[in-house]
Amino acid sequence: MRVFVLTGAGVSAESGLGTFRDPGGIWERFDPMKLATPEAFAADPERVHDFYNMRRRDLLASRPNAAHEALAGLEAGLAARGGRLWLCTQNIDDLHERAGSAFVHHMHGELLKARCTACGAVHAWREDLALATPCPGCGRSGGMRPDVVWFGEMPVGLEAIEDAIAESDLFVAIGTSGSVWPAAGFVEIARGCGVRTAELNLEPSDNARMFDERRYGKASDVVPAFVDGIMSGSV
Ligand code: BV8
């Protein structure tokens, strides 16, 4: 069986990392247009660095939860049967990897990487970033940024994502509000290709009606149960 999973901030909520649009969420406390766009970075790079430094420190202090672990188990279980899991995340955290997932596609980039806008090099990064931080590659400072996709920037690997969805038997969206594009449109691509669709979320997302099956509850409860269903053939 070939499964495509799209995860959002809800899969990491129980690991203590905030979601964006829930009450008290990140975009309720911080303005994305002032912190998560190229224009915001050009206007006030230190403010943007402070925002991502705070989130990077939170991430390093967090741990994967049962939902991340269940998806790592699904990847191994499907591979053992000649199937595959194509895990695409909107999240910039590394909790899927830390839970044991070998293949994780970060369509919105990764918080634990930094990119030099002068030479283009990408470096693993676990420290704070600042305007004065020199690139370990070219040595120039003033151009290091978090290697994440901001609003208005092109997500990573859209063609590969669409091909993987088209070649899947099941598309599962987990912990996402379905409010950020083009990720929010993936379920329509799946339906257009005749792929069965399921939503696992705390509550109905913006595009809940697009899904064939819907299960609601905390990710650490509903994801392991759904994975058991896939592996036992009842899903
Ligand atoms: C782009 C990285 C050009 C940085 C992020 C139509 C087509 C294309 C673009 C657009 C379009 N319409 C509008 C746009 C522009 C824009 C957009 O979508 N704006 C929205 C706000 C309207 N999109 C872009 O700019 C994208 N790029 O358009 O490039 C282009 C043009 C054409 C075609 C292709 C490209 C770039 C968007 C990426 C921005 N970067 N993040 C960072 O993290 O700081 S977005 C940010 O939102 C995160 O990545 C986040 O993952 C993402 C989506 O949010 P969710 O993950 O869904 O999180 P949210 O809080 O919303 O929901 C959480 C859910 O979990 C909730 O439903 C909740 O109920 C649930 N939950 C909570 N707790 C639990 C739980 N579920 C289970 N268990 C729990 N315990």
Side-chain angles (χ1 to χ4, degrees), residues 7-14 18-22 25-27 33 35-36 51-52 55 89-92 107-109 148-155 158 174-184 200-206 217-220 222-223:
T7 60
V11 82
S12 298
E14 292 161 85
T19 59
F20 292 89
R21 294 166 189 83
D22 288 320
I26 296 173
W27 297 149
M33 293 305 120
L35 292 166
F51 174 61
Y52 284 95
R55 290 177 63 193
T89 186
Q90 298 172 87
N91 302 337
I92 60 177
M107 65 176 290
H108 290 162
V148 303
V149 176
W150 283 326
F151 289 99
E153 294 185 322
M154 188 64 79
L158 288 179
I174 301 174
T176 180
S177 61
S179 54
V180 171
W181 294 81
L200 311 182
N201 209 45
L202 194 60
E203 60 195 12
S205 68
D206 294 358
K218 288 179 158 184
S220 61
V222 294
V223 176

Side-chain angles (χ1 to χ4, degrees), residues 81-100:
R81 298 178 180 180
R84 66 101 170 103
L85 172 64
W86 216 95
L87 178 56
C88 176
T89 186
Q90 298 172 87
N91 302 337
I92 60 177
D93 64 56
D94 68 334
L95 296 179
H96 284 304
E97 290 88 341
R98 279 199 259 155

Side-chain angles (χ1 to χ4, degrees), residues 23 35 38 44 48 52 55-57 60 86 102-103 116-118 128 132 135 149 172 177 191-192 195-197 203 213:
L35 292 166
D44 191 345
V48 174
Y52 284 95
R55 290 177 63 193
R56 191 180 298 105
R57 281 186 235 126
L60 294 174
W86 216 95
F103 174 83
C116 175
T117 56
D128 282 1
C135 167
V149 176
V172 193
S177 61
R191 292 177 67 86
V195 178
R196 209 155 44 92
T197 57
E203 60 195 12
E213 181 167 354

